[in-house]
Amino acid sequence: MTEPKRSTGILDDTEAREKIVGLLTKAYWMEIETVMSYIANSTNVDGVRAQEIKESLAGDVQEELGHAQQFAARIKELYGVVPGSLDFSAEQSYLQPPDEQTDIVHIIKGVIEAESGAVEYYNQIIEFCEGKDPVTQDMVIAILADEEGHRRLFEGFLREYKAEGLA
Ligand SMILES: [Fe+2]
Ligand SMILES: [Fe+2]
C-alpha cells in the first residue's frame, strides 16, 4: 500500500510560489509609491475646495500603507524576502505635484490613474492565484475592493468638476 500523497498547496509548488512572490513584490512597491504620492499631494494641495480631497487622500495613505504591510507579510509567508529600498524604482509620473497647488483636477486624475493601475494589476494577481493559492487570492480580493472604492470616490470628484466645466 502506498502512503497517500500529502499536498501543502502553494507551499509545495516552487515555481508558482516564486512567481507569486514576484507579483506581490511589484504590488508592494506600487503601494509604497502610492503612499509617497498621496502624502505629497494631500499636503501640497491649496484652496477652499481642496479640503475634501486633502482629507480623503490623507485617509487613503493609511489604507495604502496597510496594503503594503499585507503584501510584505504574504511575501514572507511564501518564503520570499521583502526588498530593501535600493530596489525601488518610481513609476507614478502622473502623480507628481502640479505646477499650481490649486490644480485639484490634476491630482484627481492622477489618483484615478493610480487606482486604475492597481485595480488592473490586482485582477491579474487574483487570476494567476486561481486554483493555486487561495490565501493570496483572498487577501488580494479584499485589497482590490478597497482600490475599487478609492477609484469610485475620485471618479465622483472628477464628475463634479466636469459638471462645472472645470475638468
Ligand atoms: Fe492600495
Ligand atoms: Fe488605493
Side-chain angles (χ1 to χ4, degrees):
M1 237 179 86
T2 52
E3 288 276 311
K5 196 175 181 305
R6 290 169 66 206
S7 171
T8 50
I10 190 64
L11 302 179
D12 272 341
D13 185 346
T14 308
E15 199 186 324
R17 196 176 64 239
E18 282 171 0
K19 168 86 175 151
I20 290 170
V21 166
L23 294 169
L24 293 171
T25 302
K26 180 170 162 62
Y28 169 76
W29 286 132
M30 286 167 75
E31 296 289 350
I32 294 284
E33 186 170 14
T34 300
V35 167
M36 288 193 261
S37 295
Y38 288 6
I39 288 175
N41 284 293
S42 68
T43 307
N44 290 336
V45 69
D46 270 330
V48 279
R49 304 192 57 173
Q51 207 53 35
E52 192 82 22
I53 305 288
K54 217 179 168 84
E55 281 169 22
S56 179
L57 270 185
D60 285 351
V61 166
Q62 303 306 321
E63 272 199 51
E64 310 297 10
L65 184 59
H67 295 162
Q69 288 176 306
Q70 288 183 70
F71 282 121
R74 189 63 186 152
I75 288 167
K76 183 174 172 74
E77 282 165 7
L78 293 179
Y79 306 114
V81 175
V82 182
S85 57
L86 288 179
D87 284 352
F88 177 72
S89 73
E91 290 179 1
Q92 292 179 348
S93 53
Y94 45 87
L95 267 173
Q96 302 310 299
D99 295 336
E100 292 296 332
Q101 299 312 317
T102 49
D103 187 356
I104 298 168
V105 171
H106 169 91
I107 296 168
I108 295 172
K109 286 182 174 169
V111 171
I112 292 171
E113 175 129 15
E115 298 294 344
S116 301
V119 165
E120 193 189 336
Y121 190 58
Y122 298 168
N123 270 300
Q124 284 176 34
I125 299 179
I126 290 163
E127 204 173 297
F128 184 81
C129 289
E130 179 63 32
K132 297 187 191 81
D133 182 353
V135 174
T136 297
Q137 192 180 44
D138 253 25
M139 183 189 85
V140 181
I141 287 170
I143 294 173
L144 174 64
D146 291 341
E147 313 301 11
E148 287 181 352
H150 297 160
R151 183 176 120 136
R152 180 64 189 86
L153 183 66
F154 277 77
E155 281 174 349
F157 291 145
L158 187 61
R159 190 172 297 177
E160 191 183 316
Y161 281 84
K162 275 187 176 152
E164 294 171 30
L166 298 170

